[in-house]
Coordinates of all heavy atoms in Angstrom, one line a residue:
F37 N 8.5 -25.5 -29.8 CA 9.6 -26.3 -30.0 C 10.8 -25.7 -29.1 O 10.7 -24.6 -28.6 CB 10.1 -26.2 -31.5 CG 10.4 -24.9 -32.0 CD1 11.8 -24.5 -32.1 CD2 9.5 -24.0 -32.4 CE1 12.1 -23.2 -32.5 CE2 9.8 -22.7 -32.9 CZ 11.1 -22.3 -32.9
F39 N 15.3 -25.7 -28.8 CA 16.5 -25.8 -29.6 C 17.7 -25.5 -28.8 O 17.6 -24.7 -27.8 CB 16.5 -25.0 -30.9 CG 16.3 -23.5 -30.6 CD1 17.4 -22.6 -30.6 CD2 15.0 -22.9 -30.5 CE1 17.3 -21.3 -30.4 CE2 14.9 -21.5 -30.3 CZ 16.0 -20.7 -30.2
R56 N 19.0 -11.6 -26.0 CA 18.4 -11.3 -27.2 C 19.1 -12.2 -28.3 O 20.3 -12.2 -28.5 CB 18.6 -9.8 -27.6 CG 17.7 -9.0 -26.6 CD 17.9 -7.5 -26.9 NE 17.4 -7.1 -28.3 CZ 16.2 -7.0 -28.6 NH1 15.2 -7.2 -27.7 NH2 15.8 -6.6 -29.8
L57 N 18.2 -13.0 -29.0 CA 18.7 -13.9 -30.0 C 18.3 -13.2 -31.4 O 17.2 -12.6 -31.5 CB 18.0 -15.2 -29.9 CG 18.6 -16.3 -29.0 CD1 17.8 -17.6 -29.2 CD2 20.1 -16.6 -29.4
G58 N 19.2 -13.4 -32.4 CA 18.9 -12.8 -33.7 C 19.0 -13.9 -34.8 O 19.7 -14.9 -34.7
V59 N 18.2 -13.7 -35.8 CA 18.2 -14.6 -37.0 C 18.1 -13.7 -38.2 O 17.4 -12.7 -38.3 CB 17.0 -15.6 -36.9 CG1 15.6 -14.8 -36.9 CG2 17.0 -16.5 -38.1
N60 N 18.9 -14.2 -39.2 CA 18.7 -13.6 -40.6 C 18.1 -14.7 -41.4 O 18.8 -15.7 -41.8 CB 20.1 -13.2 -41.1 CG 19.9 -12.5 -42.5 OD1 19.2 -13.0 -43.3 ND2 20.7 -11.5 -42.7
P61 N 16.9 -14.6 -41.7 CA 16.2 -15.7 -42.4 C 16.9 -16.2 -43.7 O 16.9 -17.4 -44.0 CB 14.8 -15.2 -42.7 CG 14.6 -14.2 -41.6 CD 15.9 -13.5 -41.4
L64 N 19.3 -19.1 -43.3 CA 18.9 -20.4 -42.8 C 19.0 -21.3 -44.0 O 18.7 -21.0 -45.1 CB 17.4 -20.3 -42.3 CG 17.2 -19.4 -41.0 CD1 15.7 -19.4 -40.7 CD2 18.1 -19.9 -39.9
D90 N 18.6 -8.8 -40.0 CA 18.8 -9.4 -38.7 C 17.6 -9.0 -37.9 O 17.3 -7.9 -37.7 CB 20.1 -9.0 -38.0 CG 21.3 -9.5 -38.8 OD1 21.2 -10.5 -39.5 OD2 22.4 -8.9 -38.6
I91 N 16.9 -10.0 -37.3 CA 15.7 -9.8 -36.4 C 16.1 -10.4 -35.0 O 16.5 -11.5 -34.9 CB 14.5 -10.5 -36.9 CG1 14.2 -10.2 -38.4 CG2 13.3 -10.2 -36.1 CD1 13.2 -11.2 -39.1
F92 N 15.9 -9.5 -34.0 CA 16.3 -9.9 -32.7 C 15.0 -10.0 -31.7 O 14.1 -9.2 -31.9 CB 17.2 -9.0 -32.0 CG 18.7 -9.2 -32.5 CD1 19.2 -8.6 -33.6 CD2 19.5 -10.0 -31.8 CE1 20.4 -8.8 -34.1 CE2 20.8 -10.2 -32.2 CZ 21.3 -9.6 -33.3
R93 N 15.0 -11.0 -30.9 CA 13.9 -11.1 -29.9 C 14.5 -11.6 -28.6 O 15.5 -12.2 -28.6 CB 12.8 -12.0 -30.4 CG 12.0 -11.6 -31.6 CD 11.1 -10.4 -31.2 NE 10.3 -10.0 -32.4 CZ 10.7 -9.2 -33.4 NH1 11.9 -8.7 -33.4 NH2 9.8 -8.8 -34.4
A94 N 13.8 -11.3 -27.5 CA 14.2 -11.8 -26.2 C 13.8 -13.3 -25.9 O 12.7 -13.6 -26.2 CB 13.5 -10.9 -25.1
Y95 N 14.7 -14.0 -25.3 CA 14.4 -15.4 -25.1 C 15.1 -15.7 -23.7 O 16.3 -15.6 -23.4 CB 15.1 -16.4 -26.1 CG 14.1 -16.7 -27.2 CD1 13.9 -15.8 -28.2 CD2 13.5 -17.9 -27.2 CE1 13.1 -16.1 -29.2 CE2 12.6 -18.3 -28.2 CZ 12.4 -17.4 -29.3 OH 11.5 -17.6 -30.3
S110 N 10.6 -22.1 -27.4 CA 9.9 -21.1 -28.3 C 8.5 -21.5 -28.7 O 8.2 -22.8 -28.8 CB 10.7 -20.9 -29.5 OG 10.1 -20.0 -30.4
I111 N 7.7 -20.5 -28.8 CA 6.3 -20.7 -29.4 C 6.4 -20.2 -30.9 O 7.1 -19.2 -31.1 CB 5.3 -20.0 -28.6 CG1 3.9 -20.3 -29.1 CG2 5.5 -18.5 -28.6 CD1 2.7 -19.8 -28.2
V112 N 5.6 -20.8 -31.8 CA 5.5 -20.2 -33.1 C 4.3 -19.3 -33.2 O 3.2 -19.7 -32.9 CB 5.3 -21.4 -34.1 CG1 5.2 -20.8 -35.5 CG2 6.5 -22.4 -34.1
I113 N 4.6 -18.0 -33.5 CA 3.5 -17.0 -33.8 C 3.4 -16.9 -35.3 O 4.4 -16.4 -35.9 CB 3.9 -15.7 -33.1 CG1 4.1 -15.9 -31.6 CG2 2.8 -14.7 -33.4 CD1 4.6 -14.7 -30.8
D115 N 2.2 -15.0 -37.5 CA 2.6 -13.8 -38.2 C 3.8 -13.1 -37.5 O 4.0 -11.9 -37.9 CB 1.4 -12.8 -38.2 CG 0.1 -13.4 -38.9 OD1 0.4 -14.1 -39.9 OD2 -1.0 -13.2 -38.4
G116 N 4.4 -13.7 -36.6 CA 5.6 -13.1 -35.9 C 6.8 -13.1 -36.8 O 7.2 -14.1 -37.4
A117 N 7.4 -11.9 -36.9 CA 8.6 -11.8 -37.8 C 9.7 -12.7 -37.4 O 10.4 -13.2 -38.2 CB 9.0 -10.3 -37.8
F118 N 9.8 -13.0 -36.1 CA 10.9 -13.8 -35.6 C 10.5 -15.3 -35.6 O 11.2 -16.1 -36.2 CB 11.3 -13.3 -34.2 CG 12.6 -14.0 -33.7 CD1 13.8 -13.4 -34.1 CD2 12.6 -15.1 -32.9 CE1 15.0 -14.0 -33.6 CE2 13.7 -15.7 -32.4 CZ 15.0 -15.1 -32.8
T119 N 9.5 -15.6 -34.8 CA 9.3 -17.0 -34.6 C 8.7 -17.7 -35.8 O 8.9 -18.9 -36.0 CB 8.3 -17.3 -33.4 OG1 7.0 -16.7 -33.8 CG2 8.7 -16.7 -32.1
S120 N 8.1 -17.0 -36.7 CA 7.7 -17.6 -38.0 C 8.8 -18.1 -38.8 O 8.7 -19.0 -39.7 CB 6.7 -16.7 -38.7 OG 7.4 -15.5 -39.2
Q121 N 10.0 -17.5 -38.6 CA 11.2 -17.9 -39.3 C 12.0 -18.9 -38.5 O 12.5 -19.8 -39.0 CB 12.1 -16.6 -39.6 CG 11.5 -15.5 -40.2 CD 10.9 -15.9 -41.6 OE1 11.4 -16.8 -42.2 NE2 9.8 -15.3 -42.0
L122 N 11.9 -18.7 -37.2 CA 12.7 -19.6 -36.3 C 12.2 -21.1 -36.4 O 13.0 -22.0 -36.2 CB 12.7 -19.1 -34.9 CG 13.9 -19.4 -34.0 CD1 15.1 -18.7 -34.6 CD2 13.6 -18.9 -32.6
Q123 N 10.9 -21.3 -36.8 CA 10.4 -22.6 -36.9 C 11.1 -23.4 -38.0 O 11.0 -24.6 -38.0 CB 8.9 -22.5 -37.1 CG 8.5 -22.0 -38.4 CD 7.0 -22.0 -38.7 OE1 6.4 -22.9 -38.4 NE2 6.5 -20.8 -39.2
H124 N 11.8 -22.7 -38.9 CA 12.5 -23.4 -39.9 C 13.9 -23.8 -39.6 O 14.7 -24.3 -40.4 CB 12.6 -22.5 -41.2 CG 11.2 -22.1 -41.7 ND1 10.2 -23.1 -42.0 CD2 10.6 -20.9 -42.0 CE1 9.1 -22.4 -42.5 NE2 9.4 -21.1 -42.5
L125 N 14.3 -23.6 -38.3 CA 15.7 -23.9 -37.9 C 16.0 -25.3 -38.2 O 15.2 -26.3 -38.0 CB 15.8 -23.7 -36.4 CG 16.1 -22.3 -35.8 CD1 16.4 -22.4 -34.4 CD2 17.3 -21.7 -36.5
L131 N 22.7 -18.6 -35.6 CA 22.0 -17.5 -35.0 C 22.9 -16.5 -34.5 O 24.1 -16.8 -34.3 CB 21.0 -18.1 -34.0 CG 19.9 -19.1 -34.4 CD1 19.1 -19.5 -33.2 CD2 19.0 -18.4 -35.4
L132 N 22.4 -15.3 -34.1 CA 23.1 -14.3 -33.5 C 22.8 -14.2 -32.0 O 21.6 -14.2 -31.6 CB 22.9 -13.0 -34.2 CG 23.2 -13.0 -35.7 CD1 22.7 -11.6 -36.3 CD2 24.7 -13.2 -35.9

Side-chain angles (χ1 to χ4, degrees):
F37 66 97
F39 58 97
R56 291 180 64 78
L57 274 181
V59 61
N60 183 317
L64 297 179
D90 297 339
I91 309 167
F92 281 84
R93 292 293 184 272
Y95 268 80
S110 181
I111 187 171
V112 177
I113 302 172
D115 298 326
F118 190 86
T119 65
S120 63
Q121 305 304 330
L122 212 62
Q123 66 179 318
H124 299 308
L125 275 187
L131 297 177
L132 303 173

